[in-house]
Amino acid sequence: MTVEIAITLLLIAAMVIALIYDLMRPGMVLLSVVVLFLCAGILTPKEMLEGFSNKGMITVAMLFLISEGVRQTGAISQLIKKLLPEGKTTVAKSQLRMLPAVAGISAFLNNTPVVVIFAPIIKRWAERVHLPATRFLIPLSYATILGGVCTLIGTSTNLVVHGMILETGREGFSMFELGKVGIFIAIAGIIYIVCFSHKLPAKRTDNAVEEEEPATDDEMHRVEAIIGPRFPGIKKSVKDFGFERHYGATVKEIKRNGQSITRNLDNEIFRDGDTLVLSAGPNFIPTWGESSVFLMVTNGKDQETDEKQRKKRWIALTLLIIMITGATIGELPAVKQACPGIQFDMFFFVSVTTIIMAWTKLFPPKKYTKYISWDILITIACAFAISKAMENSGFADLLASYIISLSDRFGAHALLAIIFIITNLFTELITNNAAAALSFPIALSVATQLGVDPTPFFVVICMAASASFSSPIGYQTNLIVQGIGNYKFTDFVRFGLPLNFITFILSVFLVPLFWAF
């Protein structure tokens, strides 16, 4: 083992530990590791910065704005309201109407805003029709994950892997290429959810006393807010932070890991992902509803939409359809030959759509930086550099040789299985983008040493990195529904682990059928 390999192994191990224990935000953890690679001479300044100009990373940034534009028009919230049945119904019938549509929407929009919009609507609807909301919220999160594996833009992980493929000089994924396998995983996943959601808890009641709705808008009323990573009071007690002084609202309850905490709240420490039940005035929602310090804020009321908002809704949907259609048609050989000077790929149409949405004010153009998750972008950019460091040091080749030696008896399918397990383990413990970054150079080295096409391995990484079902940690949508549904960690393990296994089996056996080694 060379000095470079030893340094790489040490730094990656330290990075994984820091991410698991949430010592800092993922972006800062990865950036710290990248800087140390630079200091060790394993990365050059050019290699360190290449990820910040990668098309995949920039595409993810603009998709945040497109998702926000669609969200603010209320287009998808109106759709889910039409899908949810009124009157007497069952959990299974409702899920069959809801989940395929949710998966379809999340195939083209960022998963987080989809869950942020749908979760409170579904919770209120479930209470109205006397069905347990807990049977719908985890399935909602899982459906968005399943939809995300069906297209190139369905999740940032797909775009990260796509960008890494382009960096190697190969042709990346087309718009619906991943759907060859992703659609089977999504269908199987939805069938599993519908058949086995009865294993989810029937009800999780709040310990806080429900306050009566105020007679006028000037009085205090109940609000739920999920703490985000930018919340300044994380790791501080309620008393020391002074929540009421900061936000003009009183904390009545903290919901965490299926528990409702209502006593000794002053001494309770705020944690990322906590759901706060607040007594707040009428200005809390307008002031903090769009703030990045909270993942979601809801007061149990629907917003009214006017005629102007309806027009914006149609503009947003039209732009979205043009973007998807254009990116799909732009990949055709005839289009490439007809317009050799312009590359009509996903990056092109996402860029154009973002600018049109800004000029038509589908999202506030003066506040556009507010809607971009910069930590995710920094994580993605640094992921490219870490991947390069693993190649430069020889660590990827060493690990690939070891993996190949383990699977001599079983062939390429065993290699796919190992790559899936490694990636999926990382995505449950840390983040999906970091998992893809760690697995990509290993998969590339395995394919290179075997002299086979690496594409099957890249597809498996996309599937495994998104299959975060058995933990609320690896995927933000799981964290959101954990708070609003008051789920325990074990609820995700019991219900999600079989979905991990389903994704594993389908990926390992279907991928070679569509992409030959």
Side-chain angles (χ1 to χ4, degrees):
M1 182 183 292
T2 65
V3 175
E4 287 81 5
I5 292 176
I7 292 173
T8 302
L9 178 60
L10 180 64
L11 289 178
I12 288 177
M15 180 189 75
V16 171
I17 292 170
L19 288 170
I20 290 173
Y21 286 96
D22 196 24
L23 299 181
M24 292 186 289
R25 296 303 303 156
M28 183 54 65
V29 172
L30 268 69
L31 182 60
S32 302
V33 172
V34 168
V35 171
L36 290 173
F37 276 128
L38 179 70
C39 294
I42 296 173
L43 284 176
T44 65
K46 182 175 182 294
E47 290 170 336
M48 174 183 170
L49 296 172
E50 280 176 349
F52 289 91
S53 61
N54 185 272
K55 285 171 68 175
M57 193 275 286
I58 303 299
T59 302
V60 171
M62 290 187 288
L63 283 172
F64 279 121
L65 297 177
I66 291 172
S67 295
E68 183 62 24
V70 175
R71 187 193 73 81
Q72 291 206 11
T73 63
I76 55 178
S77 63
Q78 294 301 314
L79 174 61
I80 195 65
K81 288 176 185 176
K82 289 182 177 9
L83 288 171
L84 293 172
E86 296 295 339
K88 190 175 181 180
T89 185
T90 65
V91 171
K93 287 180 181 178
S94 303
Q95 287 177 342
L96 283 172
R97 290 186 61 171
M98 177 186 77
L99 297 183
V102 170
I105 292 168
S106 66
F108 304 105
L109 293 176
N110 185 277
N111 293 354
T112 301
V114 173
V115 172
V116 165
I117 293 168
F118 286 2
I121 294 174
I122 290 170
K123 185 178 181 180
R124 290 194 297 271
W125 164 83
E127 291 169 353
R128 192 166 61 248
V129 297
H130 306 292
L131 290 175
T134 47
R135 299 275 169 88
F136 294 95
L137 295 175
I138 280 182
L140 168 67
S141 178
Y142 287 177
T144 62
I145 296 172
L146 292 168
V149 301
C150 296
T151 66
L152 176 60
I153 63 171
T155 173
S156 60
T157 308
N158 294 349
L159 286 164
V160 168
V161 176
H162 172 73
M164 288 182 171
I165 295 171
L166 295 177
E167 290 290 326
T168 66
R170 295 174 174 82
E171 190 171 343
F173 298 124
S174 61
M175 181 65 175
F176 294 101
E177 188 174 359
L178 292 171
K180 294 176 183 177
V181 169
I183 191 69
F184 290 103
I185 292 173
I187 292 171
I190 290 173
I191 291 172
Y192 166 78
I193 292 170
V194 173
C195 293
F196 294 97
S197 60
H198 63 274
K199 293 183 178 296
L200 288 168
K203 193 176 183 182
R204 284 267 160 76
T205 56
D206 298 341
N207 290 335
V209 177
E210 291 278 355
E211 297 181 12
E212 293 183 0
E213 285 298 316
T216 67
D217 290 337
D218 294 329
E219 297 181 19
M220 306 293 279
H221 61 279
R222 179 187 172 94
V223 170
E224 287 192 36
I226 299 177
I227 290 177
R230 294 188 183 183
F231 179 70
I234 290 178
K235 296 183 180 179
K236 296 179 182 179
S237 70
V238 176
K239 182 179 180 180
D240 292 341
F241 176 64
F243 189 94
E244 187 170 358
R245 185 180 72 252
H246 278 84
Y247 301 109
T250 305
V251 179
K252 294 293 186 181
E253 176 189 5
I254 298 176
K255 293 192 286 186
R256 178 189 301 146
N257 195 26
Q259 296 180 336
S260 292
I261 304 168
T262 57
R263 296 183 179 180
N264 299 319
L265 284 175
D266 283 347
N267 298 322
E268 198 61 39
I269 305 297
F270 289 120
R271 298 180 190 173
D272 188 3
D274 282 352
T275 296
L276 309 180
V277 179
L278 310 171
S279 177
N283 293 326
F284 185 87
I285 293 287
T287 305
W288 301 106
E290 300 293 332
S291 172
S292 57
V293 300
F294 298 111
L295 295 178
M296 182 177 70
V297 175
T298 176
N299 63 351
K301 298 178 181 178
D302 293 326
Q303 292 183 341
E304 298 294 330
T305 58
D306 54 19
E307 186 63 31
K308 185 178 179 181
Q309 195 74 355
R310 279 190 279 270
K311 289 180 180 178
K312 285 187 174 183
R313 188 183 304 156
W314 284 109
I315 293 172
L317 290 175
T318 302
L319 287 173
L320 195 62
I321 292 170
I322 292 173
M323 180 188 79
I324 296 165
T325 306
T328 304
I329 296 174
E331 297 289 339
L332 299 175
V335 176
K336 292 181 179 179
Q337 291 177 0
C339 305
I342 304 177
Q343 191 173 357
F344 291 107
D345 58 1
M346 177 52 64
F347 179 78
F348 175 89
F349 283 98
V350 167
S351 302
V352 173
T353 302
T354 302
I355 295 304
I356 294 174
M357 281 190 168
W359 282 99
T360 54
K361 296 186 178 180
L362 296 187
F363 60 83
K366 291 184 179 180
K367 299 179 181 179
Y368 77 97
T369 56
K370 178 181 176 182
Y371 307 113
I372 297 173
S373 180
W374 296 103
D375 186 74
I376 290 178
L377 295 186
I378 293 171
T379 300
I380 292 171
C382 292
F384 286 96
I386 291 172
S387 178
K388 188 67 177 176
M390 292 174 68
E391 292 179 31
N392 291 351
S393 65
F395 178 72
D397 288 336
L398 179 67
L399 196 54
S401 299
Y402 180 69
I403 292 172
I404 291 171
S405 68
L406 290 176
S407 57
D408 286 339
R409 295 183 180 180
F410 304 102
H413 280 80
L415 293 173
L416 286 179
I418 293 172
I419 294 295
F420 185 101
I421 292 169
I422 291 172
T423 308
N424 195 235
L425 183 62
F426 276 131
T427 204
E428 294 289 11
L429 293 175
I430 47 178
T431 67
N432 50 350
N433 293 315
L438 292 174
S439 301
F440 185 89
I442 300 170
L444 180 61
S445 185
V446 166
T448 302
Q449 291 184 36
L450 290 175
V452 299
D453 186 354
T455 304
F457 297 98
F458 298 155
V459 176
V460 162
I461 289 174
C462 289
M463 300 300 134
S466 292
S468 181
F469 301 113
S470 56
S471 163
I473 299 170
Y475 226 86
Q476 195 173 60
T477 57
N478 288 348
L479 196 63
I480 292 171
V481 298
Q482 183 189 30
I484 194 170
N486 212 18
Y487 293 105
K488 295 180 179 179
F489 189 98
T490 51
D491 293 329
F492 288 89
V493 177
R494 285 198 308 266
F495 189 64
L497 201 56
L499 256 182
N500 284 69
F501 185 71
I502 289 169
T503 307
F504 168 72
I505 295 296
L506 290 177
S507 297
V508 170
F509 286 97
L510 289 180
V511 166
L513 299 180
F514 295 101
W515 295 272
F517 288 106

